[in-house]
Structures are given as C-alpha cells and as structure tokens.
Amino acid sequence: MDTLLAVRARGITKCFGDVVALDGVDLDVAQGRIHGLVGPNGAGKTTLLGLLLGLAVADAGHLDILGTPIGRLLAAPEGVAGFVDGPGLYPSLTARQNLAALAALRGRDARTAGIDDVLDQVGLTDVADDRARGFSLGMRQRLGLAAALLTTPRLLVLDEPSNGLDPAGKKHVHGVLTRLAAEGAAVVLSSHRMDDLEALCSDVTILATGRTVFSGPLGKLAAESRELDYRLLTSDQRAASRLAHDTAGVRVVDEAATWRGADVLVVRAPTPALDDLVARIVRDGVAVREVGPVQSPLEAAFLALTEQEAAR
C-alpha cells in the first residue's frame, strides 16, 4: 500500500523580484512522520514553510496539502497549523487569554476548547495566567505550539521550535511532536539544531540556494559507504593508534586530540572499516571506553552537500 502523503510538492518555484527563493523543489511528507527541513540561511526554508501554511503561493509547480490541491489563494486547508519566524502573540494578554482569543477567532467556546490541556502538554500550566510580554523566547515558542495544538492539526509546520528552550522545555516539545506523529499527524520541522532533528525526524530534506540537495530517510545520510570522523577513547591510545594505522579503510586524523579533558584518537573511516578497527582493538586486549562521531552524520552530510552546491 502506498504511503499516505500529507504534503506532495512537485517543481515548486517561488521568486521575489529577481531573487529565486525556491527553484523546482520537490517534497513528500508522509502522514505519521516528522520531516526535518534544513539548510543554510537563504536556502528557501522559510519560503517553503510559508507556502505550506498558506501565507504565500508558488509561482510555478504543483502542491497538494492533506489531499487538497493548493491554488492561487492565500489559504491552507483545514487541519494545518504552525508558525514561521516565531508565533504571533498578544503581549498584554496572559497565556490563557492568548489561547482563548485564538479559540474565539475560530468560533469556539474557550471553556470547551481544551486550553488547559494544551498548556499542560507544553509545560506552561504554572504560568497560564502570566502576561506573554514577560515570557522568555522558549516560553513564547511553547505557547505558540500550544496555540497550534488547539486546532488538533493533521499537518503541523514549525520554524525553529527549539529556540530558547531549556532542557525541560525541550522535553515537553519533543514529547508533543512525537505523540502527534504517533497519532498520525505529519510534522514539518525546520531547525538549525542537528541534534533535535536526529532525535525526532525519520525523514529530512536539505535545501541549498533554493534547490533540494537531499530528501529521504535520515538513515540514508549515514550510509555505510560514507566516511566520517570518529573519536576513540581507549585504555591504551598508543596501541589504538598503531592498530588504526594498520587497518584498511581507516585514516588517522589526529593522534593527540582532546575531548572533555581526555586524550582521544580521531580517525576517518566508513562504518565497516570503523567496525573492523574497534574489533581489532578489543581483540588486542585494549578497552574501548568511548567511540562516537566528531560530527553527527546529519551535520556532516549537511555541510558536504551545501558546500558542493555553493561551489557550483
């Protein structure tokens, strides 16, 4: 059975005067999945998010959202919610009053709109009656997410939702997004935080200069043939270095690097060669205390792909 798509975009082009913001972009976002959208500043991410939210229309291409073809009108179909460039809030109103005002705009009774529930979901119950003007950036982001949740979205579009979040706030936001996807909603998440994307997303699209340079499952970015830099902390760094020099497919990058106060060995290798090196180290009686990428697979792929695009 074909995967049900919340978003299907083909050849989307958007220009602002002589500036081409999006240049023939394709995008598939499956229902029940969290889809990451990444790229350097000016890549076209905000423009694409605006199209998904009905804040702009494409100059060319075809866009279906929740099964509805999107035409030339500034509108998104029912079931789409989110924000771009931060949520719009009334600073003089409390968190609860902001949500009540939004519910009223949608013709709903604030008493039955589920305001207390969404405030609890994003961890703002204790400040529900505080004015939004005193909120930190992270609290405003969470209130914006609560506003989106009031609509029970089938497609949630978020721009940098982790901005300003402390660990507790991040836990609340991650929990909400994971639950929504498990319940069948699609989430499009734009972020510069690679750790957030790797923790949450099953699929990712990388944009550079308005073009798609990668789109697909996150695991494809960490393909076994791709070389990455890894740091190794062992009980005998000299022995580990000797074995690294002798292992096919492994290149020693730094024999005297420091990581969190400890001396580590940095090597560059594809996954199979790294696995072979670790096995040889263990067989040699050396304890492997830590092994991990210097850069995450997503961050490494992002930098490589965007640098390639910029060099064209």
Side-chain angles (χ1 to χ4, degrees), residues 228-232 259 264-267 292-297 299-300:
L228 291 175
D229 287 357
Y230 297 91
R231 55 178 169 266
L232 284 86
W259 168 252
V264 296
L265 172 70
V266 177
V267 300
V294 174
Q295 289 179 320
S296 71
E299 184 175 2

Side-chain angles (χ1 to χ4, degrees), residues 18-288:
D18 295 332
V19 177
V20 180
L22 297 173
D23 187 4
V25 169
D26 295 345
L27 178 67
D28 287 340
V29 178
Q31 293 181 356
R33 311 267 280 192
I34 302 177
H35 194 111
L37 185 62
V38 296
N41 294 333
K45 303 185 301 298
T46 299
T47 300
L48 183 54
L49 295 180
L51 294 178
L52 298 182
L53 287 170
L55 303 176
V57 294
D59 297 324
H62 184 80
L63 176 62
D64 285 348
I65 297 178
L66 299 177
T68 300
I70 303 302
R72 302 297 300 171
L73 298 178
L74 287 174
E78 190 71 22
V80 179
F83 56 80
V84 176
D85 289 331
L89 304 172
Y90 297 105
S92 62
L93 299 183
T94 68
R96 194 189 309 279
Q97 289 169 339
N98 264 279
L99 298 183
L102 177 61
L105 287 173
R106 295 179 175 271
R108 300 176 61 186
D109 188 334
R111 293 171 297 182
T112 59
I115 291 173
D116 287 341
D117 178 55
V118 296
L119 286 170
D120 179 63
Q121 288 184 52
V122 301
L124 292 180
T125 299
D126 291 344
V127 294
D129 295 312
D130 293 350
R131 296 187 188 279
R133 68 160 53 97
F135 282 9
S136 66
L137 173 60
M139 292 165 69
R140 292 198 300 271
Q141 295 291 90
R142 283 191 275 165
L143 183 54
L145 177 57
L149 294 177
L150 277 182
T151 66
T152 315
R154 290 185 290 146
L155 172 62
L156 181 62
V157 179
L158 299 174
D159 186 15
E160 300 287 356
S162 294
N163 269 0
L165 293 183
D166 58 20
K170 181 183 292 190
K171 180 180 178 180
H172 280 292
V173 170
H174 283 203
V176 169
L177 300 184
T178 301
R179 177 184 56 77
L180 282 175
E183 293 174 352
V187 179
V188 178
L189 173 66
S190 173
S191 179
H192 287 99
R193 293 291 304 268
M194 300 297 167
D195 55 342
D196 281 345
L197 295 173
E198 290 190 309
L200 289 167
C201 297
S202 49
D203 306 279
V204 66
T205 292
I206 301 177
L207 296 179
T209 61
R211 300 183 182 93
T212 304
V213 294
F214 175 86
S215 190
L218 193 57
K220 286 181 64 177
L221 286 173
E224 291 197 343
S225 61
R226 185 182 300 279
E227 287 189 346
L228 291 175
D229 287 357
Y230 297 91
R231 55 178 169 266
L232 284 86
L233 176 61
T234 71
S235 60
D236 188 338
Q237 295 295 89
R238 183 173 298 179
S241 178
R242 172 179 52 79
L243 291 167
H245 280 291
D246 293 339
T247 301
V250 175
R251 181 153 60 94
V252 175
V253 175
D254 193 339
E255 294 182 291
T258 301
W259 168 252
R260 293 178 178 174
D263 293 332
V264 296
L265 172 70
V266 177
V267 300
R268 181 169 300 156
T271 301
L274 178 71
D275 291 344
D276 185 27
L277 171 60
V278 172
R280 294 187 66 187
I281 291 173
V282 173
R283 283 198 303 269
D284 221 48
V286 177
V288 177

Side-chain angles (χ1 to χ4, degrees), residues 2-13:
D2 292 338
T3 301
L4 295 175
L5 295 178
V7 175
R8 184 180 185 274
R10 293 293 180 271
I12 295 297
T13 298

